[in-house]
């Protein structure tokens, strides 16, 4: 796995080197990724306790939360703006990646029709890869508490995905299980960051090695927990720790930004290694099926002599 990841990252770095102007503050094209959500049975085979209406509400709330986080339209981005003086050389980034809860072209045998959300409940035991769900980013929701979630470091879109505890998924408390500490959907945001190739800033565990390889995340040798006032400053190595980045371990209320370089790497990874997911979006997500959609209409009237020779031709692009 380490060798495979290293190969992916080398490929990504070469791609980014050939596209030095790739970082975009305004996206020319949205990179839609289709998502399927699987509420999975417990380790002992018992059902996870959730009803379909609540599962849908939770899934949609998580889609809204992660899209706001990736697009830097989350309401608490004002906390970053209020405290940015602590990190004057760091700019928050807005990603070109957005996520849609798939509604089309589902795998057969699950009773899901076109128009239904790609949500399954107690169809699967805990498993991190579902080959029938290739072409989706899969979100596996389980009744776990430690860790909050986990993810491959650089996903493939081959039926893999990210795992999230039931108590940390979405922002709706319809099931009565939502954590009071991790209640803004940031566990999925964090794990999807891993799926799109990002490491923790503190992964090296020292003040010498760049733990995540990202130029604009300050070196830190340990994870940060809890919550802080906007702009609150403390140093682990040489510079103030960037605790508001989604790749840290703070409470959800104190995670509210990506850096520009984090966004550049994620967007580059999607373009470089997850084209299968981008290409699947138009056939799996109704939200993208109507974008850039044009129809030309050619009408030929019936002739008076023979009749029945008229036509209406729709040319779709």
């Amino acid at each position: 796995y380490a060798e495979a990841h290293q190969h992916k990252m080398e490929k990504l770095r070469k791609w980014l080197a050939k596209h030095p102007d790739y970082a975009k503050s305004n996206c020319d094209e949205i990179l839609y990724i289709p998502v399927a959500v699987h509420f999975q049975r417990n380790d002992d085979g018992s059902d996870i306790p959730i009803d379909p209406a609540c599962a849908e509400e939770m899934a949609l709330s998580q889609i809204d939360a992660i899209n706001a986080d990736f697009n830097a339209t989350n309401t608490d981005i004002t906390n970053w703006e209020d405290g940015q003086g602590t990190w004057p050389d760091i700019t928050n980034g807005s990603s070109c990646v957005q996520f849609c809860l798939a509604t089309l072209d589902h795998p057969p045998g699950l009773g899901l029709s076109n128009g239904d959300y790609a949500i399954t409940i107690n169809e699967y035991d805990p498993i991190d890869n579902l080959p029938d769900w290739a072409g989706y980013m899969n979100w596996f929701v389980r009744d776990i508490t430690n860790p909050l979630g986990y993810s491959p470091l650089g996903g493939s879109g081959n039926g893999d995905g990210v795992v999230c505890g039931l108590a940390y998924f979405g922002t709706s408390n319809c099931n009565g299980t939502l954590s009071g500490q991790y209640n803004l959907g940031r566990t999925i945001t964090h794990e999807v960051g891993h799926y799109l190739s990002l490491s923790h800033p503190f992964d090296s565990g020292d003040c010498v090695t760049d733990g995540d390889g990202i130029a604009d995340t300050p070196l830190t040798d340990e994870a940060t927990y809890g919550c802080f006032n906007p702009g609150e400053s403390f140093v682990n190595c040489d510079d103030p720790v960037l605790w508001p980045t989604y790749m840290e371990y703070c409470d959800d209320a104190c995670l509210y930004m990506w850096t520009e370089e984090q966004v550049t790497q994620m967007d580059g990874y999607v373009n470089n290694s997850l084209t299968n997911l981008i290409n699947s979006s138009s056939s799996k997500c109704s939200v993208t099926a109507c974008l850039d959609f044009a129809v030309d209409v050619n009408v030929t009237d019936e002739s008076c002599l023979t009749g029945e020779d008229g036509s209406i031709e729709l040319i779709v692009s």
Side-chain angles (χ1 to χ4, degrees), residues 250-271:
C250 291
D251 298 353
D252 277 13
C254 278
L255 300 177
Y256 35 76
M257 60 84 69
W258 299 112
T259 71
E260 282 191 333
E261 291 297 326
Q262 285 176 321
V263 164
T264 296
Q265 179 161 310
M266 288 192 295
D267 288 5
Y269 187 82
V270 172
N271 268 303

Side-chain angles (χ1 to χ4, degrees), residues 289-313:
C290 297
L291 295 178
D292 302 318
F293 189 89
V295 179
D296 293 321
V297 182
N298 294 332
V299 177
T300 302
D301 293 332
E302 285 184 302
S303 64
C304 292
L305 296 177
T306 58
E308 297 183 357
D309 59 354
S311 67
I312 300 176
E313 181 183 25

Side-chain angles (χ1 to χ4, degrees), residues 5 8 151-155 193-195 197-199 203 269:
H5 177 68
K8 284 182 181 179
S151 169
L153 185 55
H194 285 316
Y195 192 92
S197 81
L198 294 185
S199 299
D203 270 357
Y269 187 82

